[in-house]
Amino acid sequence: QVQLVESGGGLVQAGGSLRLSCAASGRTFSSYTTGWFRQAPGKEREFVAAINWSDGGPFYASSVKGRFTISRDYAKNMVFLQMNSLKPEDPAVYYCAASRRLGLLRQNEYNYWGQGTQVTVSS
C-alpha cells in the first residue's frame, strides 16, 4: 500500500551536486527498506543505495560510495539521495523503491517502485 514519487532530477555540470527526493504514502512506511536504483542508456538497472530503520545500513554501491548519501525523514515519509561530485558516468533515470524486507536486498525483493527521475550531467 505504498506509493512512491521521485523528484529533484535535472541537469547539472560534472562535479556538481543534486538532491533527489522520494515522497511516500502509507502509514507503515517507516518500517520499510528504501532503495535507490538507476538505469543508464544501454545498461541494466543497478543498485545505488539503501536504508532502513533497523538493520546495519545504509548500503552503497561501490561506484557511488563517498559521493552519494541516502537519508530519510520519517516524520514526512520522505527519502533523499544527496549526490555530490557528479561524474559523466552518473546520468541515468533514478528510481526510488521500497520493500517490507530488511537488509541489502535484490532488486526483485522491492515491492514498490516510483516512476523515476532523470539525472543528466553536462561536461
Side-chain angles (χ1 to χ4, degrees):
Q1 297 180 357
V2 174
Q3 186 170 356
L4 307 173
V5 180
E6 303 97 335
S7 63
L11 175 65
V12 64
Q13 291 185 329
S17 298
L18 200 64
R19 189 180 78 159
L20 305 183
S21 299
C22 176
S25 64
R27 293 170 55 191
T28 61
F29 181 71
S30 62
S31 65
Y32 282 53
T33 295
T34 300
W36 286 96
F37 294 80
R38 67 184 183 184
Q39 186 168 22
K43 296 183 178 180
E44 296 183 342
R45 187 160 55 194
E46 64 178 357
F47 170 77
V48 176
I51 192 171
N52 62 55
W53 63 275
S54 64
D55 73 356
F59 306 101
Y60 297 95
S62 60
S63 60
V64 305
K65 193 172 185 178
R67 299 189 296 122
F68 292 9
T69 302
I70 186 171
S71 61
R72 294 182 64 165
D73 186 332
Y74 290 94
K76 296 182 179 179
N77 283 347
M78 296 189 71
V79 185
F80 306 96
L81 184 68
Q82 178 66 46
M83 304 184 294
N84 298 325
S85 301
L86 283 161
K87 300 179 179 180
E89 299 79 21
D90 294 323
V93 177
Y94 283 72
Y95 297 90
C96 179
S99 175
R100 287 174 286 186
R101 299 180 175 87
L102 302 177
L104 181 59
L105 307 175
R106 291 171 53 86
Q107 182 173 321
N108 61 8
E109 294 180 290
Y110 285 85
N111 308 102
Y112 307 98
W113 292 84
Q115 293 298 115
T117 186
Q118 177 71 51
V119 173
T120 303
V121 180
S122 63
S123 62

